[in-house]
């Protein structure tokens, strides 16, 4: 389902719920909209068949970010707040995806043009240069070297693309078969990705704990619910470990500081607050701070992509210029 349609569906549903409509009636009204009618019908059918709200949205192919938030409606019963949170998070996702697409579109077009130009030079221009510069061995060897570099560069790029595609495909189909502790070790080996994953996991952990604390549940009950959900396997794994620690009578703050994908500040917040209201308040504020940090890092990463592409393109231009002009200079020097 297109991102814009998912976001529009959530916004309309939130508006109807805010106006006092029960969920089923709200979905009935949404069927008046031709674009959203099919989705509303599918969700209604799933709900009437006994599916929970998150599973109903999952059946209609909503993004995992949305269905993860809706899972906790089973616990807190606050559908409207959960949907509003989904809208906020998903709107940020759509915004940054659009920004990324806009920034990468122009460099990709230029990269495609220069790759085609390089292919044309290698197959048409350089072979003509070899014939032209037969009398100058230095110029001829430079042209042959340029052809070899283009060949090796093409093979290297294709091999890298194939490896990335193969690894992504393998990971997609086999991720669930790999134990979560091994997945965590693998994520830890990815330098840039692990920083974003740590921020994201810390944010989701703080958000869900603070949301469920508002219902008056104990930490142990909250951890049991976090361990049951399947959309956030790292948080589920950490929750199981914390449940074991609590059952032994140990405080979880010491264990929290050992988790590689939870920020150390979370352990400090848990250690500092014995009162549940204060803990909920601190975690909410901390989650908001992490949201800002995530947004700042995403924008920084996106803005770095365009200069990187332009550096690659500049390298192509310089290489093409040297490939064409250097043999001529060598020929002139030999005369």
């Amino acid at each position: 389902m297109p991102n814009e349609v998912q976001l529009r569906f959530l916004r309309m549903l939130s508006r109807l719920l805010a106006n006092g409509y029960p969920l089923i009636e709200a979905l009935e009204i949404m069927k008046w909209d031709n674009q959203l009618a099919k989705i509303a019908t599918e969700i209604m059918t799933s709900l009437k068949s006994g599916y929970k709200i998150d599973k109903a949205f999952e059946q209609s192919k909503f993004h995992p970010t949305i269905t993860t938030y809706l899972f906790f409606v089973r616990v807190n019963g606050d559908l409207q707040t959960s949907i509003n949170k989904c809208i906020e998070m998903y709107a940020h996702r759509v915004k940054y995806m659009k920004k990324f697409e806009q920034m990468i579109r122009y460099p990709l077009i230029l990269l495609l043009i220069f790759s085609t130009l390089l292919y044309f030079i290698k197959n048409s221009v350089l072979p003509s240069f070899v014939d032209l510069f037969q009398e100058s061995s230095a110029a001829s060897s430079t042209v042959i070297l340029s052809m070899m570099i283009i060949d090796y560069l093409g093979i290297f790029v294709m091999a890298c693309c194939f490896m990335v595609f193969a690894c992504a495909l393998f990971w997609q189909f086999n991720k669930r078969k790999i134990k979560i502790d091994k997945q965590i070790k693998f994520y830890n080996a990815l330098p840039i990705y692990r920083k974003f994953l740590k921020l994201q996991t810390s944010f989701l952990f703080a958000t869900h704990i603070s949301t469920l604390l508002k219902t008056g549940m104990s930490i142990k009950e909250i951890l049991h619910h976090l361990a049951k959900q399947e959309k956030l396997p790292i948080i589920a794994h950490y929750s199981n470990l914390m449940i074991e620690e609590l059952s032994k009578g140990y405080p979880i703050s010491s264990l929290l500081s050992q988790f590689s994908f939870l920020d150390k500040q979370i352990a400090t917040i848990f250690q500092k607050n014995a009162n549940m209201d204060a803990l909920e308040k601190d975690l909410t504020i901390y989650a908001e701070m992490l949201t800002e940090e995530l947004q700042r890092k995403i924008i920084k990463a996106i803005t770095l992509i365009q200069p990187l592409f332009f550096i690659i393109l500049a390298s192509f231009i310089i290489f093409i210029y040297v490939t064409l002009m250097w043999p001529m200079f060598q020929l002139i020097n030999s005369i």
Side-chain angles (χ1 to χ4, degrees):
M1 195 189 305
N3 292 329
E4 290 76 13
V5 176
Q6 295 187 54
L7 203 52
R8 185 164 172 263
F9 184 93
L10 290 172
R11 282 174 174 158
M12 185 172 285
L13 181 58
S14 174
R15 204 177 306 127
L16 291 168
L17 292 172
N19 284 323
Y21 287 97
L23 178 59
I24 297 296
E25 283 186 35
L27 291 170
E28 282 285 0
I29 291 171
M30 290 176 75
K31 288 163 71 174
W32 299 348
D33 188 306
N34 292 332
Q35 189 183 32
L36 305 178
K38 184 181 176 183
I39 307 164
T41 304
E42 287 176 354
I43 292 174
M44 281 180 63
T45 305
S46 298
L47 290 171
K48 288 176 180 178
S49 300
Y51 284 98
K52 301 292 185 184
I53 185 73
D54 57 307
K55 289 293 181 184
F57 273 71
E58 191 177 324
Q59 290 283 323
S60 297
K61 309 299 184 211
F62 275 80
H63 194 272
T65 302
I66 296 168
T67 56
T68 301
Y69 272 97
L70 293 179
F71 171 84
F72 294 100
V73 175
R74 301 183 189 187
V75 184
N76 58 32
D78 193 349
L79 177 60
Q80 190 173 347
T81 302
S82 296
I83 287 178
N84 288 338
K85 198 69 180 176
C86 289
I87 293 168
E88 182 186 345
M89 293 303 301
Y90 206 68
H92 283 305
R93 175 188 170 82
V94 172
K95 173 187 170 184
Y96 294 128
M97 285 297 289
K98 280 185 177 179
K99 191 175 180 66
F100 176 75
E101 287 169 6
Q102 288 169 358
M103 293 194 72
I104 207 171
R105 190 181 300 132
Y106 180 60
L108 276 178
I109 292 169
L110 287 178
L111 193 61
L112 181 64
I113 291 169
F114 278 103
S115 298
T116 307
L117 180 61
L118 204 59
Y119 178 80
F120 172 74
I121 289 170
K122 186 259 174 184
N123 286 283
S124 300
V125 179
L126 293 181
S128 302
F129 273 29
V130 173
D131 297 333
L132 182 63
F133 299 139
Q134 281 181 350
E135 295 179 2
S136 173
S137 59
S140 182
S141 61
T142 302
V143 174
I144 293 169
L145 178 63
S146 299
M147 292 173 69
M148 288 175 62
I149 290 171
I150 294 172
D151 275 336
Y152 287 133
L153 185 65
I155 292 168
F156 175 75
V157 170
M158 284 192 290
C160 287
C161 291
F162 176 77
M163 283 181 65
V164 168
F165 177 75
C167 290
L169 206 62
F170 174 81
W171 186 255
Q172 185 68 27
F173 286 103
N174 294 280
K175 184 169 69 170
R176 293 186 180 276
K177 299 176 185 176
I178 301 170
K179 291 183 178 179
I180 186 62
D181 53 343
K182 291 183 179 178
Q183 288 186 38
I184 291 172
K185 286 180 182 177
F186 174 72
Y187 293 142
N188 259 319
L190 305 175
I192 298 172
Y193 179 70
R194 71 186 175 201
K195 292 182 180 179
F196 282 98
L197 185 60
K198 184 175 183 177
L199 276 173
Q200 185 187 45
T201 306
S202 301
F203 163 73
L204 291 170
F205 183 80
T207 300
H208 291 315
I209 291 277
S210 63
T211 303
L212 295 175
L213 279 170
K214 290 176 183 176
T215 64
M217 296 170 62
S218 68
I219 290 292
K220 194 167 185 178
E221 288 175 313
I222 291 170
L223 291 175
H224 276 293
H225 286 296
L226 288 174
K228 285 179 187 176
Q229 55 81 31
E230 299 173 352
K231 300 294 182 184
L232 305 169
I234 295 176
I235 290 179
H237 175 64
Y238 286 167
S239 299
N240 280 318
L241 293 176
M242 285 186 275
I243 291 166
E244 290 175 15
E245 196 80 352
L246 283 172
S247 63
K248 294 174 184 176
Y250 298 118
I252 61 171
S253 55
S254 58
L255 187 62
L256 280 168
S257 60
Q258 298 172 27
F259 293 146
S260 54
F261 287 110
L262 285 183
D263 194 84
K264 299 293 185 288
Q265 189 60 44
I266 292 179
T268 306
I269 292 170
F270 270 84
Q271 195 171 13
K272 171 187 139 186
N273 293 300
N275 182 277
M276 292 297 105
D277 290 334
L279 179 61
E280 181 266 317
K281 184 179 177 181
D282 282 359
L283 286 173
T284 302
I285 296 297
Y286 182 65
E288 290 174 4
M289 291 170 62
L290 283 177
T291 303
E292 293 175 4
E293 179 71 8
L294 264 171
Q295 290 173 12
R296 188 181 65 80
K297 285 189 177 293
I298 290 169
I299 290 170
K300 185 179 177 182
I302 290 172
T303 52
L304 284 173
I305 288 170
Q306 202 171 56
L308 181 64
F309 267 96
F310 283 131
I311 289 169
I312 295 170
L313 290 174
S315 303
F316 269 134
I317 294 166
I318 292 168
F319 179 72
I320 291 169
Y321 179 78
V322 171
T323 299
L324 296 176
M325 299 305 295
W326 187 250
M328 293 183 184
F329 288 135
Q330 286 181 316
L331 181 63
I332 291 168
N333 289 332
S334 66
I335 294 174

